[in-house]
Amino acid sequence: MIRRASLVLVGALMGATAMSVIYAAGVPAEAAGASTYKELSVFGDVFERVRAQYVTPPAEDKLIENAINGMLSSLDPHSSYMNAKDAEDMSTQTKGEFGGLGIEVTMEDELVKVITPIDDTPASKAGVLAGDYISEIDGQSVRGLKLEEAVEKMRGAVNTPIKLTLIRKGADKPIELTIVRDIVAVQAVKSRVEDDVGYLRVISFTEKTYPDLEKAIAKIKTTVPADKLKGYVLDLRLNPGGLLDQAIKVSDALLQRGEVVSTRGRNPDETRRFNAGPGDLTDGKPVIVLVNGGSASASEIVAGALQDLRRATVLGTRSFGKGSVQTIIPLGENGALRLTTALYYTPSGRSIQGTGITPDIKVEEPLPDDLKDKMATEGESSLRGHIKGQSETDEGSGSVAYVPPDPKDDVQLNYAFDLLRGKKTDPAFPPNPDKAVSAK
């Protein structure tokens, strides 16, 4: 039955930025068998031996915490334990503001891997790139640290410096950067008018996302008369995910009806379906959605819903492919458990786990000369221990996650503009809502 103490989180990865949570359903745990409790008694014996006989007195709380994380990390890359401080930090960060550098990270091969730097943050301004590996923090190796410990070292007081040593593919030697920490106030949605087209970039899915999107669309509509407005570009590139409910609201904002997403756990009665209601904020104007290898989780929910229901044309390259849902289970004073409890499915019933969203129109973004051979394809399928998707193949998921800093150089964006203005044509644009694909 529903337990309001449980929380659901859809996000690319636990990292230096926070991702928001919503209340969700939980189910009672089944009792373990006698053999399981016998094995637990072995753990107790080992713990007592280590506590009593290790060469130096160990911190008992750290022993237990590391044991818990060892168990969870053996499941998949997204399940983890958060101690009380980490859980409190995450709760604070869900509001879209936090202190630090402004990067989404994960742990891979004992190094901290940068998934994406957030726009206009100390990390992005200093030149940190998606795919970089952080090998040292203030001269200390990250090997042997848990992800949460490495993240904690990167946090700190505003206006204090931190030195990162980066390993970048193609670079002759490690790169050392000194970055000054700052308050990272993440603007959930950025917008502008490009002559007769409205541009909407959803940076992350926090509590601010839908309200920011609503305001942005209203501002565009007051700037460009309806008879002049050709349509909208919804840019989800480099968007690592966030709130499930915000992904649903953003999709609903552009839909009149239809299923947005469903989540399915290990038991059939855990299936939940989320539907759109009447009311399209864009008044039915054409929409093109941009995705790349940095589009993950909640952003893939939006892209998948608009694609399946033929409300928008998806353009770009294959997305990250994170199709799992994490439940945040508070443990009182002991922190919280982040546990993968379900997979999500697009309206047509497809799981993008390990496969990603394939764009209707594939448009590669050329890399500048100084980045060629230095940015690899990133995706869920390349993460060690990931849950294998039902449709996953050797091709895997993801693509290069790069967006040019100058819109004039942005091939994908300008291709979308040309489609909306009729300068280019493609059978996939505009999509036909009468050919929407739904699960049978």
Side-chain angles (χ1 to χ4, degrees), residues 406-419:
D406 189 340
K408 294 179 181 178
D409 301 326
D410 193 334
V411 173
Q412 294 169 337
L413 176 61
N414 286 292
Y415 199 105
F417 287 157
D418 287 346
L419 284 170

Side-chain angles (χ1 to χ4, degrees), residues 82-409:
M82 293 177 286
N83 60 33
K85 186 178 187 307
D86 292 337
E88 183 181 358
D89 287 344
M90 188 197 71
S91 178
T92 299
Q93 294 168 10
T94 59
K95 298 188 182 299
E97 293 186 359
F98 55 92
L101 305 180
I103 50 176
E104 291 283 349
V105 297
T106 186
M107 187 69 80
E108 186 174 294
D109 296 329
E110 295 189 284
L111 297 177
V112 176
K113 183 178 182 180
V114 178
I115 298 303
T116 183
I118 299 173
D119 283 353
D120 299 325
T121 61
S124 65
K125 292 176 182 177
V128 177
L129 299 177
D132 284 348
Y133 287 86
I134 300 172
S135 61
E136 295 183 6
I137 301 173
D138 282 333
Q140 179 183 348
S141 174
V142 302
R143 294 185 185 276
L145 297 178
K146 295 186 304 179
L147 178 60
E148 291 82 359
E149 293 172 332
V151 168
E152 181 63 27
K153 289 182 178 295
M154 288 187 280
R155 293 174 180 156
V158 173
N159 295 326
T160 59
I162 179 174
K163 185 172 74 174
L164 300 183
T165 301
L166 307 177
I167 297 175
R168 182 173 295 168
K169 183 180 179 181
D172 297 333
K173 59 182 181 180
I175 300 168
E176 292 189 354
L177 296 177
T178 298
I179 308 175
V180 178
R181 297 179 178 95
D182 200 357
I183 292 295
V184 180
V186 180
Q187 185 178 352
V189 178
K190 290 186 176 181
S191 65
R192 63 178 184 269
V193 170
E194 292 280 351
D195 296 326
D196 51 2
V197 174
Y199 174 79
L200 303 161
R201 181 173 182 192
V202 181
I203 300 168
S204 60
F205 288 87
T206 71
E207 294 177 10
K208 297 181 178 181
T209 302
Y210 177 76
D212 283 2
L213 181 72
E214 191 175 28
K215 292 175 185 176
I217 293 175
K219 184 177 180 180
I220 290 170
K221 290 165 72 171
T222 59
T223 304
V224 185
D227 60 337
K228 302 292 184 183
L229 187 62
K230 293 292 194 300
Y232 295 84
V233 173
L234 182 65
D235 194 346
L236 300 178
R237 295 173 298 175
L238 303 182
N239 183 319
L243 270 175
L244 173 61
D245 78 321
Q246 291 293 311
I248 294 167
K249 287 181 179 179
V250 168
S251 302
D252 191 4
L254 304 174
L255 294 166
Q256 293 282 9
R257 62 185 177 277
E259 182 177 299
V260 173
V261 67
S262 63
T263 61
R264 308 176 195 177
R266 62 194 280 180
N267 300 316
D269 58 1
E270 293 176 12
T271 298
R272 302 184 70 202
R273 300 184 183 278
F274 303 89
N275 298 306
D280 178 352
L281 294 183
T282 67
D283 300 321
K285 291 288 185 181
V287 176
I288 294 178
V289 176
L290 301 182
V291 297
N292 66 7
S295 307
S297 201
S299 58
E300 294 174 292
I301 288 175
V302 175
L306 298 180
Q307 183 181 57
D308 280 1
L309 298 178
R310 301 294 189 264
R311 174 61 184 92
T313 297
V314 178
L315 184 152
T317 56
R318 189 187 296 268
S319 64
F320 189 84
K322 179 185 178 294
S324 61
V325 179
Q326 281 67 50
T327 299
I328 306 301
I329 306 170
L331 302 175
E333 297 179 354
N334 296 316
L337 172 64
R338 172 186 168 100
L339 188 66
T340 299
T341 55
L343 297 178
Y344 69 76
Y345 295 78
T346 68
S348 65
R350 58 179 168 144
S351 166
I352 59 88
Q353 174 68 14
T355 60
I357 296 291
T358 301
D360 301 304
I361 304 174
K362 183 179 180 180
V363 178
E364 300 276 359
E365 191 71 62
L367 292 174
D369 291 340
D370 61 334
L371 293 181
K372 288 180 179 177
D373 300 321
K374 296 182 181 180
M375 296 188 71
T377 296
E378 306 294 342
E380 175 79 9
S381 61
S382 65
L383 295 181
R384 182 181 299 171
H386 76 282
I387 298 171
K388 189 173 179 63
Q390 66 179 29
S391 302
E392 185 175 340
T393 65
D394 291 340
E395 184 179 357
S397 62
S399 60
V400 173
Y402 173 72
V403 176
D406 189 340
K408 294 179 181 178
D409 301 326

